[in-house]
């Protein structure tokens, strides 16, 4: 993961998102995280959906022919795509982090690192497209 990639993401996130801090009972938080993981969705995307924001469900539907006719609609489409890519990158990063230390020099570890790096680069390029 390159420094430039992280800086681009952090700048884009600072301009486009607000962080919320909530306090919740640990057992409720753990159950919510487990349900999100079992459903294959990120906690952030599920909270956004529950708050009435844009849906980032993990089902990719074929867009209508004129769905991307305006810049706003194209940007919304890119946001959904980026949310999917972020979920994939996060899952790959979790896989990499869970890999035992004795596999640090293995082809599997190298492939996972390359995948995370490629996804970070792709996301940075999409952020810059805005």
């Amino acid at each position: 993961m390159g420094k430039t990639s992280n800086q681009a993401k952090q700048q884009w996130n600072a301009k486009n998102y607000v962080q919320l801090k909530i306090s919740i009972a640990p057992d409720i938080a753990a159950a919510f995280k487990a349900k999100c993981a079992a459903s294959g969705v990120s906690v952030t995307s599920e909270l956004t959906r529950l708050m009435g924001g844009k849906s980032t469900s993990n089902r990719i539907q074929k867009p209508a022919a004129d769905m991307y006719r305006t810049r706003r609609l194209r940007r919304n489409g890119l946001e959904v795509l980026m949310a999917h890519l972020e979920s994939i990158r996060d899952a790959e990063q979790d896989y990499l982090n869970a890999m035992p230390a004795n596999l640090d020099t293995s082809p599997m570890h190298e492939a996972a690192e390359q995948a995370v790096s490629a996804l970070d680069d792709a996301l940075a390029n999409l952020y810059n497209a805005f």
Side-chain angles (χ1 to χ4, degrees):
M1 193 168 7
K3 185 176 180 180
T4 305
S5 174
N6 283 337
Q7 287 175 335
K9 284 191 301 189
Q10 289 169 353
Q11 288 173 351
W12 190 88
N13 283 339
K15 289 180 192 174
N16 296 284
Y17 289 100
V18 173
Q19 288 188 344
L20 298 176
K21 182 178 178 181
I22 63 170
S23 296
I24 191 165
D27 57 332
I28 294 171
F32 182 75
K33 288 178 181 180
K35 187 171 182 178
C36 288
S39 300
V41 296
S42 71
V43 171
T44 301
S45 65
E46 187 61 11
L47 287 172
T48 301
R49 187 189 66 76
L50 290 170
M51 286 188 231
K54 295 179 200 86
S55 173
T56 55
S57 76
N58 58 356
R59 284 188 233 137
I60 299 176
Q61 299 173 350
K62 184 177 179 184
D66 63 346
M67 182 176 173
Y68 300 117
R69 69 184 178 282
T70 66
R71 186 168 193 265
R72 180 182 56 81
L73 293 174
R74 287 189 300 274
R75 289 174 64 98
N76 288 346
L78 277 174
E79 287 176 3
V80 170
L81 174 63
M82 287 188 292
H84 285 292
L85 285 176
E86 286 172 350
S87 295
I88 294 167
R89 190 250 348 255
D90 292 346
E92 191 68 20
Q93 185 66 55
D94 290 345
Y95 168 73
L96 184 62
N97 293 342
M99 201 173 286
N102 64 336
L103 295 178
D104 282 351
T105 59
S106 72
M108 290 186 328
H109 190 275
E110 186 177 328
E113 281 182 329
Q114 289 175 352
V116 170
S117 178
L119 288 165
D120 278 337
D121 291 343
L123 283 164
N125 288 331
L126 286 171
Y127 290 135
N128 291 332
F130 280 119

